[in-house]
Amino acid sequence: MLETTRCFGTAFTQAERCKKRLTGLIPPAVESLDLQVQRCLHRIDSLKQSPLEQYAYLDRIRTESSNLFYKLVMGNLKQIVSIIYTPTVGLACQEFSRIYTPASAPGLFLSLADQENLDLVISNWPGADPDICVMTDGSRILGLGDLGVNGMGIPIGKLSLYVAAGGFNPSKTLPITLDLGTNNPKHLNDPFYLGTRSHRPRDSQFYEFVDAVMAALKRRWPKLLVQFEDFSSEHAFGTLERYRNKYFMFNDDIQGTGAVILSGFINALKLSGTPLKQHRILFFGAGSAGVGVASQLMDHFTHAEGGLTKAQAKKLFWLIDSKGIVTSDRSDASRYPSHKKLFLREDMGGKQVGTLLEAIEHVKPTALIGLSSVGGAFDAAVLTRMGELNQAPIVFPLSNPLTNAECTFEDAVKHTQGRVLFASGTAFPGQEHPVTKQILEPGQGNNMYIFPALGFGASLAKATKVTDHMVYQCAVSLSKQLNEEETALGFLYPRIERIREISGLLARDVILAAVEEGVATEPFVTNLNLLEGSNESRQKKAAALLQWIEHNMYTPSYQFKL
Ligand code: NAD
């Protein structure tokens, strides 16, 4: 993102101010970054009645002083991420066209009308050559639907997390919003709407345009990693299939979500005590997240020690959508989008289930995963039945935001007498165990554990593509990062405050996977010959790799440059 040259922090010493002819332009006090962070926190607190004001304030800090902004984010991760990303970013996107102020470019807007001139428009980007871009078409922003170009808040917010959690240099990040119109009448009729006022094009035109964008980006920046974000389900799967082997890209809604849930699931499997092959997994919701997670879990069932064949593993999965269990003989089976077809049940004999409880009776699941956005769907009866069927039921209500969560942690603990193995999409407070009175902490399947490290590792390795093996190893690596205390407490995920340390380790394992797949091209990495030599020498090389990764991670600090 852009650094403005007109912003002067208060960290300059008097001597530096003299040299740079800044004396008189900055208030006289010379301050440390820490003190400036304290001022920001004070201001954020004073704006607590208006999350949108907090967002706007932080957005200004981000564009004016990236060192201050990232010092603030990294030292106060949970609080600040809730403003610059979910949940407040949702509000900021809804209001984007109304709160927009003419400022430095927030990112690149690529419009359908520019299709013939994409090279020129892309070359207008005034920032440094980017390493990573997050790209959306605004068609399915969070759970808020089609917001058109108002979705720009998402690439901006997500890239802040790539920097804070992963270590990308902020000046080498690029938010992109594809302006393909919107089907949302509210925006089409809003005089302030900042995008093209037309309906979205048909599929062929959509793909023709995105093909042209991907080709133009590659011409301009051949090593740029493109992360697709918040496209409608069909296009999320369609673009992933179309570009995964041709371009350096991945889709966080599908692959990142799949990986983070797999990681928590691996730890839940260990704690459940049930052998791998005896698990039966019921998905409530079969959209991009549901199918993405199911695919990633299936990968684990085939890769893990003593794993299954693909056909055997498939038999352990049942997916439910709004019309029932996804089967090969449902009346609408011919109209299933292709991603759903991966998980067709062939054994229902034309029968269907009416309710989730009936599905539970039919499947007898060991794990129930919610990705439906149907708030409260895992009610008392559902949770009680899961508790009756399993000593340690795995229940992951992953839908966001809070109102869409299939159940709360409180209810899951209550109806399973504290035996539940739980992870959610939204953060829930801890609960007292009904018997032992110990405080139980819920897991949160936050994609932020995965995408910054996956992206950073892939980008540092200058991989030619992001392979399934890299995504899978990133998930497995995360599952191994619990420290002693977290393991003793039965956590499924490490504490989010440790994200930086964890991201380095995950990035290392992503790079190792890239080397195993033969897609890493960065000479430092390839020259290490990471896969050769004795165990001891490979470990030494992996340690050198980690050191190199940490050295390359951006850290906010005050540096005076003449
Ligand atoms: P989507 O719209 O593509 O899919 C929703 C699915 O739920 C569809 O298959 C739909 O048929 C099904 N569904 C809707 N109503 C239903 C009902 N009454 N009964 C059964 N099934 C029903 O959405 P998505 O992108 O797959 O996201 C789903 C949810 O997952 C969202 O709430 C999103 O916030 C959440 N999510 C969480 C994470 C995370 O925790 N890390 C990551 C990504 C998405």
Side-chain angles (χ1 to χ4, degrees), residues 153-215:
I154 293 295
I156 293 172
K158 199 136 192 177
L159 284 164
S160 295
L161 306 189
Y162 271 100
V163 174
F168 278 94
N169 190 310
S171 65
K172 305 202 102 207
T173 63
L174 170 61
I176 296 185
T177 295
L178 304 181
D179 171 30
L180 286 147
T182 173
N183 291 341
N184 189 331
K186 187 173 154 223
H187 300 309
L188 288 172
N189 296 322
D190 179 352
F192 292 119
Y193 180 64
L194 289 161
T196 300
R197 244 165 254 269
S198 63
H199 284 100
R200 289 185 179 273
R202 55 184 193 285
D203 265 12
S204 56
Q205 211 181 350
F206 168 89
Y207 282 112
E208 213 176 273
F209 179 65
V210 186
D211 284 353
V213 168
M214 291 301 281

Side-chain angles (χ1 to χ4, degrees), residues 259 262 296 303 450 454 467-480 505-506 509-514 516:
L262 169 59
Q296 207 65 253
H303 282 96
I450 294 287
L454 176 61
T467 66
D468 285 346
H469 183 56
M470 288 158 71
V471 180
Y472 178 70
Q473 288 304 329
C474 194
V476 173
S477 180
L478 175 60
S479 74
K480 293 178 182 164
L505 294 161
L506 264 60
D509 293 345
V510 168
I511 295 179
L512 280 165
E516 281 165 9

